[in-house]
């Protein structure tokens, strides 16, 4: 690889690894999310242009932040004048630069978690808080966020733009809230971290490093949150839920890279240490006797682990947990997963009744897991036409090639019957 290609690869690596962290740092100090995004984008463009010529700087994150600050100042001068410009320019000039003399990962104080709480400011609409956190603090694009929240990319893009405009026009402070304000903002922060992990978990065969970075990022933030709020059972429940899931990462692909569903995974490949840690966290959370969504999510993961390890065939615990979770959240995704558990407990016909009712929810039309579940259930009752149609939809919506190939194999088996 040429020196220029190596430098470009280095720039892309820093962009993948550090975008969310740098944007969070810059947005907090510029007090303008959109302006920070523009400044950082220009800084990355400068990196791609300059690094092939001069080589990668010794401390790329610090270099990028310095360039982004300059771009931010230029942007303020272009957009504003008079006193408004002076105020914002002073804010940028006052930015802390702890990272200048160090290339270590710890050089930037990690402000992402604090900024997650800032994005949950009461003045920001509840429905857009978590998506705003995902884009501003964790660097996810509007299309990916839209998929996580079952809305169109266009609608999500508009909602995010309006939220950023409100932050700027209303002067919502992009600052660390006082500790007594954390609890009222906690739910949105947990939602954002969980959605980030879910996106990272969905990476195609662990080949997409950006998505895998999202999973690592979410786990890091969840651990930090559990340390900061050890008396809050939902923070413990969230971390436990993610650890149960992460423990199975190495078992969901076989040696050929093919997708392996949970029911067929080799439990010996699961990370026992992570599962033990998750169990301990869930026990700590349950001791507070304040049940919540993430504790129920973790309890479901625990039940799946116990059933697979013990060989238990009774799905009553899972269905009961899904009942409680659905009563708490009303989520169509929870209803879908409950239907699959009901199929194991009462038979596929009972589950199909639930699936048919979910078809009235427009959000299911583009939800890949809905069509995959529908295909499997109709195949079990021998409705080949409905099953084949559902497989076509699920295959078309699958982002993961391994999952797509798995569904195609299932479809082929059905066609030969």
């Amino acid at each position: 690889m040429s020196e220029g290609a190596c430098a470009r690869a280095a720039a892309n690596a820093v962009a993948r690894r550090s975008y969310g962290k740098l944007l969070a740092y810059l947005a907090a100090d510029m007090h303008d999310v959109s302006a920070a995004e523009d400044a950082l984008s220009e800084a990355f463009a400068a990196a791609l242009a300059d690094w092939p010529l001069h080589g990668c700087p010794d401390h790329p994150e610090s270099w990028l932040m310095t360039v982004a600050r300059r771009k931010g100042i230029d942007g303020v001068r272009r957009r504003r004048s008079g006193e408004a410009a002076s105020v914002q320019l002073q804010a940028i000039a006052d930015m802390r630069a702890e990272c200048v003399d160090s290339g270590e990962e710890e050089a930037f104080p990690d402000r992402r978690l604090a900024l997650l709480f800032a994005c949950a400011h009461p003045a920001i609409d509840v429905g857009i808080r978590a998506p705003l956190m995902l884009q501003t603090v964790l660097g996810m694009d509007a299309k990916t966020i839209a998929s996580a929240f079952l809305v169109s990319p266009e609608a999500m893009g508009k909602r995010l733009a309006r939220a950023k405009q409100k932050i700027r026009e209303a002067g919502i402070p992009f600052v660390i809230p006082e500790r007594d304000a954390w609890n009222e903002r906690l739910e949105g922060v947990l939602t954002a971290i969980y959605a980030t992990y879910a996106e990272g978990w969905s990476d195609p065969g662990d080949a997409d490093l950006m998505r895998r970075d999202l999973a690592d990022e979410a786990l890091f933030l969840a651990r930090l949150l559990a340390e900061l709020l050890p008396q809050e059972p939902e923070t413990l429940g969230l971390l436990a839920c993610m650890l149960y899931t992460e423990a199975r990462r190495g078992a969901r692909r076989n040696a050929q890279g093919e997708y392996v569903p949970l029911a067929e995974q080799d439990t010996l490949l699961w990370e026992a240490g992570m599962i033990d840690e998750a169990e301990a966290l869930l026990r700590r959370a349950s001791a507070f006797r304040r049940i919540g969504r993430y504790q129920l999510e973790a309890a479901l993961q625990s039940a799946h682990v116990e059933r697979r390890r013990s060989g238990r065939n009774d799905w009553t615990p899972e269905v009961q947990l899904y009942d409680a979770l659905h009563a708490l959240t009303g989520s169509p995704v929870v209803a879908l997963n409950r239907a699959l558990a009901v199929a194991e407990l009462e038979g596929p016909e009972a589950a199909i009744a639930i699936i048919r009712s979910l078809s009235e929810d427009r959000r299911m039309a583009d939800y890949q897991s809905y069509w995959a579940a529908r295909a499997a259930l109709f195949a079990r009752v021998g409705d080949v036409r409905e099953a084949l149609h559902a497989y076509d939809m699920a295959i078309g919506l699958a982002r993961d090639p391994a999952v797509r190939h798995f569904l195609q194999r299932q479809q082929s088996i059905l066609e030969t019957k």
Side-chain angles (χ1 to χ4, degrees):
M1 185 182 293
S2 68
E3 182 177 346
C6 288
R8 280 190 293 273
N12 285 322
V14 173
R16 184 184 67 243
R17 184 181 66 248
S18 305
Y19 180 85
K21 183 164 61 172
L22 294 177
L23 179 59
Y25 195 92
L26 193 62
D29 290 318
M30 292 186 70
H31 307 288
D32 188 328
V33 179
S34 296
E37 289 174 329
D38 291 343
L40 194 55
S41 295
E42 291 182 27
F44 278 120
L48 289 170
D50 292 347
W51 290 5
L53 299 176
H54 306 295
C56 178
D58 293 334
H59 310 306
E61 284 190 348
S62 301
W63 184 89
L64 282 165
M65 182 55 72
T66 299
V67 174
R69 286 194 189 100
R70 293 171 182 162
K71 299 294 184 182
I73 290 171
D74 291 343
V76 171
R77 286 171 174 160
R78 287 196 303 270
R79 291 188 302 273
R80 301 188 180 187
S81 60
E83 184 177 352
S86 298
V87 170
Q88 191 167 13
L89 288 171
Q90 184 60 48
I92 298 173
D94 291 340
M95 287 178 182
R96 288 175 290 175
E98 297 94 330
C99 60
V100 171
D101 297 322
S102 172
E104 298 298 319
E105 181 66 21
E106 292 78 15
F108 276 99
D110 200 299
R111 302 173 73 181
R112 286 166 292 182
L113 187 58
L115 290 176
L116 288 174
F117 282 99
C119 285
H121 191 281
I124 300 173
D125 182 68
V126 172
I128 197 60
R129 290 177 192 173
L132 181 63
M133 295 174 204
L134 293 175
Q135 186 177 69
T136 304
V137 183
L138 295 162
M140 292 171 63
D141 60 38
K143 182 178 180 181
T144 300
I145 297 169
S147 175
F149 287 87
L150 303 181
V151 300
S152 71
E154 294 78 13
M156 181 57 70
K158 290 178 181 177
R159 290 172 62 192
L160 287 166
R162 286 196 297 269
K164 294 173 190 176
Q165 183 177 0
K166 182 171 185 178
I167 289 172
R168 182 174 62 252
E169 293 179 350
I172 293 174
F174 224 88
V175 296
I176 302 171
E178 296 296 327
R179 192 180 182 89
D180 59 6
W182 287 12
N183 286 341
E184 66 177 341
R185 306 185 188 191
L186 182 60
E187 183 178 353
V189 175
L190 294 173
T191 299
I193 293 175
Y194 192 44
T196 300
Y197 180 78
E199 184 62 25
W201 172 253
S202 68
D203 66 281
D206 295 336
D208 189 329
L209 294 178
M210 184 173 288
R211 283 211 181 98
R212 183 58 200 269
D213 284 349
L214 285 174
D216 292 341
E217 196 97 323
L219 281 165
F220 170 80
L221 291 171
R223 286 189 183 281
L224 185 56
L225 192 59
E227 291 173 7
L228 287 172
L229 298 173
Q231 304 300 311
E232 174 50 60
E234 281 292 82
T235 67
L236 305 176
L238 174 65
L239 179 56
C241 179
M242 291 162 57
L243 287 171
Y244 279 123
T245 307
E246 188 68 17
R248 303 197 304 269
R249 184 179 288 274
R252 64 176 181 155
R253 299 286 188 275
N254 63 20
Q256 291 73 44
E258 298 170 333
Y259 170 73
V260 181
L262 176 61
E264 300 174 16
Q265 288 177 10
D266 181 354
T267 60
L268 295 177
L269 296 177
W270 292 354
E271 291 285 345
M274 281 191 182
I275 293 174
D276 290 344
E277 183 183 0
E279 293 283 354
L281 286 164
L282 186 55
R283 285 194 297 270
R284 279 177 55 196
S286 64
F288 290 99
R289 298 188 180 280
R290 286 188 281 126
I291 197 67
R293 171 192 173 185
Y294 295 103
Q295 294 168 76
L296 289 171
E297 296 269 15
L300 273 163
Q301 294 295 331
S302 178
H304 287 312
V305 168
E306 180 274 329
R307 177 174 44 77
R308 284 299 321 281
R309 284 178 163 178
S310 67
R312 169 174 59 83
N313 293 319
D314 180 17
W315 281 69
T316 300
E318 285 86 348
V319 172
Q320 290 175 339
L321 286 167
Y322 277 122
D323 286 343
L325 186 58
H326 189 258
L328 188 65
T329 66
S331 165
V333 175
V334 173
L336 176 64
N337 290 326
R338 178 182 176 275
L340 294 175
V342 167
E344 300 302 323
L345 183 65
E346 302 176 16
E349 292 83 1
I352 285 175
I354 300 171
I355 290 289
R356 288 190 187 280
S357 68
L358 284 173
S359 66
E360 299 174 5
D361 191 324
R362 293 182 180 180
R363 293 172 292 180
M364 294 291 99
D366 295 320
Y367 187 50
Q368 192 271 343
S369 295
Y370 166 77
W371 291 105
R374 187 181 176 100
L377 290 170
F378 277 108
R380 286 178 62 178
V381 299
D383 192 334
V384 176
R385 184 178 66 83
E386 283 284 356
L388 290 177
H389 169 68
Y391 272 124
D392 283 338
M393 296 296 294
I395 290 166
L397 290 168
R399 293 185 297 172
D400 184 336
V403 171
R404 188 182 309 120
H405 294 156
F406 172 80
L407 294 170
Q408 288 170 334
R409 288 196 302 273
Q410 298 300 110
Q411 186 182 48
S412 297
I413 292 170
L414 184 60
E415 288 173 333
T416 59
K417 289 184 177 179

